[in-house]
Amino acid sequence: MNQDTTKIPQATAKRLPLYYRFIKNLYSSGKQRVSSKELSEAVKVDSATIRRDFSYFGALGKKGYGYNVNYLLSFFRKTLDQDALTKVVLIGVGNLGTAFLNYNFIKNNNTKIEMAFEVDESKVGTQVGDVPVFHLDDLEEKLEDQNIEVAILTVPASSAQNITDRLVSSKVKGILNFTPARLTVPDHIRIHHIDLAVELQSLVYFLKHYSEDDTEMSQDGIISE
Amino acid sequence: MNQDTTKIPQATAKRLPLYYRFIKNLYSSGKQRVSSKELSEAVKVDSATIRRDFSYFGALGKKGYGYNVNYLLSFFRKTLDQDALTKVVLIGVGNLGTAFLNYNFIKNNNTKIEMAFEVDESKVGTQVGDVPVFHLDDLEEKLEDQNIEVAILTVPASSAQNITDRLVSSKVKGILNFTPARLTVPDHIRIHHIDLAVELQSLVYFLKHYSEDDTEMSQDGIISE
């Protein structure tokens, strides 16, 4: 791939997994080509945005023809490194953590939760969604000989920073933070933060302050201004 | 309030609940004023963005002084309608739904989950996190005399569209969709979509394609390009 994908806008990059999933579905259903309008209706992102996103990767489509599904699929597979599996660790096997473990990520993705950690002794030693649950005390030891770069944090906010510090000392490079805590990390660690309360309050705010046809909003959590 | 807050960018609007929470914490701890730098470190949004966000609301701060915490608090409380309670319904009391019900929204927010719906008979008739769980068959009947405008959807993807259609027929105006399904709704319904697999894959993509100091990323799920 000669395209320098590191230069695409991050908002575009964030939509790639979404495009990939639907292109895979199209491919499975035997579809050979797709228009930006059809894609738009499926992924709920306006077609101008789709065309702009795709343009960063060069001329993927042809006017009046649309996009070749097979080409798109192999393109996105390469771009998203679908052939390389990323190992993930999950900390905190509460309700939210259990939801993650039962969610079959690998079906649509190149990520796999390898192991989970918990302090509740009744869960330690069990398997949840085929993922082994270890005691949090053994975190460093278990991570040592694994090549795990991503952690999902579903612990109480009060222990989030302490566990983050321990993850940072290991090889973890990215954290998906579901706690309300704002974490302090070195610059080389990337954190994506998803706060359920903020998401809910944000929806309420938009309902009250933005009329229905005021602005187009994509469904993928990215708001187009 | 004379400010026309409907004209602020949606990305700014999405950060308001976050600002509000930390300003409330500052207020509780007795702090009288705060600089944009201090706010920045607390909420992990760069201070230029904070100053720009605040500027949409008029001159809230003074150079060399920072922001008056008391003023900010009452301003955000008004802007976010903290004095009006928004009633929420949750559909699907699985692991993710249970996590929501146990999450004490009202502590930091003006939202309250009033009731939950489920098809699993073992959960119907119980209370989870003080929220009563009803059978999904009774959805229309139970919603009829309630003023519930927001729904949280934590059901299997296969039933998401059908339940959405039923919610749309009631008074629900906004849906927080946690299923992987892309929902089709009339224009006057607002959907915010949070897809756990897409969030994870997106983090992995950024780890592989963006070097640590390439771009500043805020932790609130909004990516600054």
Side-chain angles (χ1 to χ4, degrees):
Chain A
M1 198 167 55
N2 297 316
Q3 264 343 96
D4 184 359
T5 52
T6 65
K7 290 294 165 283
I8 66 168
Q10 298 200 15
T12 296
K14 205 156 185 268
R15 284 186 285 268
L16 298 186
L18 193 64
Y19 295 145
Y20 175 65
R21 184 197 293 164
F22 279 88
I23 289 158
K24 238 176 51 166
N25 289 348
L26 287 175
Y27 180 80
S28 304
S29 69
K31 223 161 147 37
Q32 309 264 317
R33 56 172 166 161
V34 63
S35 67
S36 54
K37 191 164 171 284
E38 287 171 294
L39 259 174
S40 169
E41 278 160 17
V43 301
K44 312 287 182 196
V45 174
D46 65 279
S47 50
T49 302
I50 290 181
R51 282 192 299 271
R52 197 183 58 227
D53 283 351
F54 283 20
S55 73
Y56 292 111
F57 307 106
L60 289 176
K62 281 175 202 154
K63 207 157 185 174
Y65 173 86
Y67 300 94
N68 179 297
V69 170
N70 200 9
Y71 180 77
L72 280 183
L73 184 70
S74 64
F75 177 80
F76 278 103
R77 181 177 283 151
K78 252 186 285 175
T79 305
L80 290 170
D81 289 304
Q82 286 303 302
D83 303 321
L85 185 75
T86 300
K87 294 178 177 180
V88 178
V89 62
L90 180 140
I91 323 280
V93 190
N95 286 305
L96 188 57
T98 303
F100 262 114
L101 294 177
N102 287 326
Y103 196 113
N104 190 355
F105 281 119
I106 211 155
K107 196 179 150 206
N108 279 303
N109 295 285
N110 54 341
T111 47
K112 182 166 184 275
I113 303 178
E114 287 279 308
M115 47 179 78
F117 292 89
E118 176 50 63
V119 289
D120 180 348
E121 297 283 358
S122 73
K123 288 169 188 165
V124 172
T126 67
Q127 292 214 334
V128 180
D130 288 335
V131 178
V133 180
F134 300 114
H135 197 286
L136 186 62
D137 288 350
D138 301 329
L139 181 70
E140 285 79 1
E141 186 197 319
K142 292 286 178 191
L143 286 186
E144 202 178 16
D145 45 340
Q146 295 280 333
N147 190 24
I148 293 181
E149 293 195 356
V150 173
I152 299 173
L153 212 54
T154 46
V155 296
S158 54
S159 43
Q161 184 63 54
N162 177 264
I163 292 169
T164 297
D165 294 343
R166 292 172 64 187
L167 289 169
V168 167
S169 302
S170 75
K171 291 170 200 153
V172 167
K173 301 274 185 300
I175 296 173
L176 202 53
N177 174 25
F178 281 90
T179 81
R182 310 303 275 184
L183 304 171
T184 301
V185 290
D187 284 345
H188 68 282
I189 306 290
R190 180 173 283 270
I191 294 188
H192 284 202
H193 187 244
I194 299 161
D195 188 313
L196 303 182
V198 166
E199 295 291 343
L200 182 60
Q201 195 159 14
S202 162
L203 174 60
V204 169
Y205 180 82
F206 280 111
L207 285 178
K208 288 186 178 164
H209 290 272
Y210 292 81
S211 74
E212 47 252 43
D213 32 39
D214 207 14
T215 26
E216 181 77 15
M217 172 173 291
S218 69
Q219 285 191 22
D220 55 348
I222 298 163
I223 295 162
S224 27
E225 291 184 40
Chain B
M1 199 169 52
N2 295 317
Q3 265 342 96
D4 185 358
T5 53
T6 66
K7 291 292 164 283
I8 66 167
Q10 297 199 16
T12 297
K14 203 155 188 269
R15 284 186 285 267
L16 298 185
L18 192 65
Y19 294 145
Y20 175 65
R21 183 196 296 166
F22 280 88
I23 290 159
K24 238 176 52 166
N25 288 351
L26 287 175
Y27 181 81
S28 304
S29 69
K31 221 161 147 39
Q32 308 263 318
R33 58 173 163 157
V34 62
S35 68
S36 53
K37 189 165 171 288
E38 287 171 296
L39 258 173
S40 170
E41 278 160 18
V43 299
K44 311 290 181 193
V45 173
D46 65 278
S47 51
T49 302
I50 291 181
R51 282 193 299 271
R52 198 184 59 226
D53 283 350
F54 282 20
S55 73
Y56 291 111
F57 307 105
L60 290 177
K62 280 175 202 154
K63 206 156 184 172
Y65 174 87
Y67 300 94
N68 180 297
V69 170
N70 201 8
Y71 180 77
L72 279 183
L73 184 71
S74 64
F75 177 81
F76 278 102
R77 180 177 282 148
K78 253 187 284 175
T79 305
L80 290 170
D81 289 304
Q82 287 301 302
D83 302 323
L85 185 74
T86 299
K87 293 178 178 181
V88 178
V89 62
L90 180 137
I91 324 280
V93 189
N95 286 305
L96 188 57
T98 302
F100 263 114
L101 294 176
N102 286 326
Y103 196 114
N104 190 354
F105 282 120
I106 212 154
K107 194 180 152 205
N108 278 302
N109 295 285
N110 54 340
T111 48
K112 182 165 182 275
I113 302 178
E114 285 281 309
M115 47 180 79
F117 291 88
E118 175 51 61
V119 289
D120 179 349
E121 297 285 358
S122 73
K123 288 168 188 167
V124 171
T126 67
Q127 293 213 335
V128 180
D130 287 336
V131 178
V133 180
F134 300 114
H135 197 286
L136 186 62
D137 288 349
D138 301 331
L139 181 70
E140 286 79 1
E141 186 196 320
K142 292 286 179 193
L143 287 186
E144 202 178 13
D145 44 341
Q146 296 280 334
N147 190 24
I148 293 181
E149 293 195 357
V150 173
I152 299 173
L153 211 55
T154 46
V155 297
S158 53
S159 44
Q161 185 63 55
N162 176 265
I163 291 169
T164 298
D165 294 343
R166 292 172 65 185
L167 289 168
V168 166
S169 302
S170 75
K171 291 171 201 153
V172 166
K173 299 275 185 298
I175 296 173
L176 203 52
N177 174 26
F178 281 92
T179 82
R182 309 304 276 186
L183 304 172
T184 302
V185 290
D187 284 347
H188 67 281
I189 306 290
R190 182 173 282 269
I191 295 188
H192 284 202
H193 186 244
I194 300 162
D195 186 313
L196 303 183
V198 167
E199 296 291 345
L200 182 59
Q201 195 159 15
S202 163
L203 174 60
V204 169
Y205 180 83
F206 280 111
L207 285 179
K208 288 185 179 165
H209 291 273
Y210 292 82
S211 75
E212 46 253 39
D213 33 40
D214 208 14
T215 24
E216 181 78 15
M217 170 173 290
S218 68
Q219 285 191 21
D220 56 344
I222 298 164
I223 295 164
S224 26
E225 291 184 37

